[in-house]
Amino acid sequence: MGTFPWILWWWFLGHVVLVEGSRGDRSYIYQRCTDDCEYENCTRPVSLQHFRESQPWVETLLHWSCVDECRYQCMWTTVEAFRRDNIDVPQFYGKWPFVRVLGIQEPASVVFSVLNSLYHLRIFTYRAAVPSSTPMYYVWHIVAAIGIHAWTWSTIFHTRDFPLTEKMDYFCAFSLVLANLGSLFCRILGTQNQTRVGVALMLLLMFYLQHIYYLAFVKFDYGYNMKVNIAVGFVNLVGWLFWCRRHWTQLPHTRKCLAVMVGMNLLLLLEVLDFPPLGWTFDAHSLWHAGTVPLGFLWYSFIIEDGKYLAEQGKWKKGV
């Protein structure tokens, strides 16, 4: 199956760094612009009242303050100044500049997050195709619920970046990563082996609570969080690849599982090869979100076929 995926995972794991501030927001142009804008528009009662009266209702709804508006406008002033001097487009507070649409900070990531949430509704197709007595039946329902919840918070976070929405996005994303690993344990151990599965899932739950506690109450460490997510994802990848290899000749639908795993690894290149947004809308992260949508549909096709196989196995063992 090749060594490239393993090399990519370890390279990415070793190159995760914590970004504190960015070239754009640290620049003199940006700081001078925001200071002047806030003084002129956000400190004087008359100017502040004018801002509130002229602000579109959708931006008011999404809590764009006068200071936020100054930072947004000065971001573009700084970008233009950098481009006039033939300097690469800078990031601001660890993010690329995006064109705001209807008050939404990252419109492409919002759209693709919604689509990622919606593909989990294929669980209803799974319900229609697979009997409820089938092993993994309720496991995939739980994973689907966690997936919808996680992608909903991704949508909220990319709509407006606040400390709360950021934390919820990170916390819920990790819950989905662990849920995927938990589904692997259930598939390998067998849901009928309740003791072993229960112990494995309890350990994952304890690990999740410890991780969230550290981020919420000790230190919100971006680098640590990313490394933990990558490490767990790597274990999940290795597990499913070994499962595919074990059942390769017996189960044709293992090809779909393998395609999803390889596809997810290739999408990591978008995170490694980061670049300024195309059209100030589509950055590498949003395209990564876009790429996971078709893989999600393919994954549900895999679990539906796997569910049918498990259901047939159950009938055979019962002599039906």
Side-chain angles (χ1 to χ4, degrees), residues 196-268:
R196 288 189 294 176
V197 169
V199 170
L201 296 182
M202 183 59 65
L203 290 174
L204 288 181
L205 177 60
M206 292 172 62
F207 180 45
Y208 176 75
L209 294 176
Q210 183 277 330
H211 181 70
I212 300 307
Y213 173 82
Y214 178 81
L215 292 178
F217 300 107
V218 179
K219 182 182 180 182
F220 194 74
D221 190 328
Y222 295 91
Y224 161 76
N225 178 71
M226 182 62 74
K227 288 181 179 180
V228 170
N229 274 271
I230 292 173
V232 174
F234 180 76
V235 173
N236 188 54
L237 168 69
V238 172
W240 280 113
L241 290 183
F242 274 110
W243 183 86
C244 288
R245 184 172 184 176
R246 181 180 178 184
H247 299 283
W248 189 257
T249 57
Q250 180 187 7
L251 304 177
H253 58 272
T254 53
R255 278 70 171 169
K256 294 182 179 181
C257 179
L258 177 63
V260 173
M261 293 301 143
V262 173
M264 290 299 294
N265 271 268
L266 292 177
L267 285 176
L268 274 177

Side-chain angles (χ1 to χ4, degrees), residues 5 16 23-24 26 28 97-98 104-105 119 181 226 283:
V16 174
R23 192 159 48 107
R26 290 199 305 262
Y28 172 79
F98 294 93
I104 298 173
Q105 282 182 276
Y119 80 63
L181 182 59
M226 182 62 74
D283 68 329

Side-chain angles (χ1 to χ4, degrees), residues 291-313:
T292 57
V293 175
L295 291 180
F297 280 96
L298 183 59
W299 182 254
Y300 268 90
S301 178
F302 158 69
I303 69 171
I304 288 172
E305 291 189 28
D306 194 52
K308 291 179 179 178
Y309 163 76
L310 291 173
E312 288 299 319
Q313 287 294 102

Side-chain angles (χ1 to χ4, degrees), residues 13-253:
L13 183 61
H15 286 73
V16 174
V17 295
L18 176 60
V19 177
E20 294 181 353
S22 300
R23 192 159 48 107
D25 57 86
R26 290 199 305 262
S27 68
Y28 172 79
I29 298 172
Y30 179 82
Q31 293 188 13
R32 178 63 183 273
C33 178
T34 53
D35 287 344
D36 291 345
C37 178
E38 290 175 23
Y39 176 76
E40 291 293 331
N41 300 290
C42 306
T43 58
R44 301 176 181 180
V46 175
S47 300
L48 189 58
Q49 182 64 26
H50 174 72
F51 164 76
R52 290 170 177 168
E53 292 175 352
S54 60
Q55 185 181 38
W57 68 268
V58 68
E59 294 177 12
T60 303
L61 181 66
L62 294 176
H63 296 280
W64 282 91
S65 68
C66 182
V67 172
D68 293 332
E69 186 65 29
C70 282
R71 291 179 177 178
Y72 178 77
Q73 298 300 335
C74 289
M75 176 182 71
W76 293 113
T77 300
T78 306
V79 168
E80 288 303 314
F82 272 57
R83 296 181 72 186
R84 282 196 302 268
D85 293 335
N86 295 317
I87 303 175
D88 293 339
V89 175
Q91 290 189 336
F92 296 82
Y93 304 104
K95 291 189 174 186
W96 293 111
F98 294 93
V99 170
R100 185 175 60 193
V101 177
L102 297 177
I104 298 173
Q105 282 182 276
E106 301 175 43
S109 289
V110 166
V111 171
F112 296 137
S113 293
V114 170
L115 292 177
N116 275 284
S117 180
L118 291 177
Y119 80 63
H120 281 290
L121 295 180
R122 285 210 71 195
I123 193 64
F124 290 105
T125 305
Y126 177 87
R127 287 172 61 91
V130 178
S132 60
S133 58
T134 304
M136 298 294 294
Y137 181 86
Y138 293 105
V139 172
W140 293 126
H141 280 72
I142 294 172
V143 173
I146 293 174
I148 292 172
H149 184 246
W151 284 111
T152 298
W153 276 107
S154 175
T155 302
I156 295 171
F157 168 63
H158 289 299
T159 299
R160 281 293 277 130
D161 179 359
F162 294 117
L164 174 61
T165 60
E166 180 182 43
K167 286 182 172 61
M168 290 302 298
D169 177 51
Y170 279 64
F171 297 167
C172 295
F174 187 56
S175 71
L176 182 56
V177 171
L178 282 182
N180 288 328
L181 182 59
S183 68
L184 169 66
F185 290 164
C186 290
R187 185 62 181 87
I188 292 176
L189 298 175
T191 54
Q192 69 275 13
N193 298 312
Q194 296 182 3
T195 301
R196 288 189 294 176
V197 169
V199 170
L201 296 182
M202 183 59 65
L203 290 174
L204 288 181
L205 177 60
M206 292 172 62
F207 180 45
Y208 176 75
L209 294 176
Q210 183 277 330
H211 181 70
I212 300 307
Y213 173 82
Y214 178 81
L215 292 178
F217 300 107
V218 179
K219 182 182 180 182
F220 194 74
D221 190 328
Y222 295 91
Y224 161 76
N225 178 71
M226 182 62 74
K227 288 181 179 180
V228 170
N229 274 271
I230 292 173
V232 174
F234 180 76
V235 173
N236 188 54
L237 168 69
V238 172
W240 280 113
L241 290 183
F242 274 110
W243 183 86
C244 288
R245 184 172 184 176
R246 181 180 178 184
H247 299 283
W248 189 257
T249 57
Q250 180 187 7
L251 304 177
H253 58 272

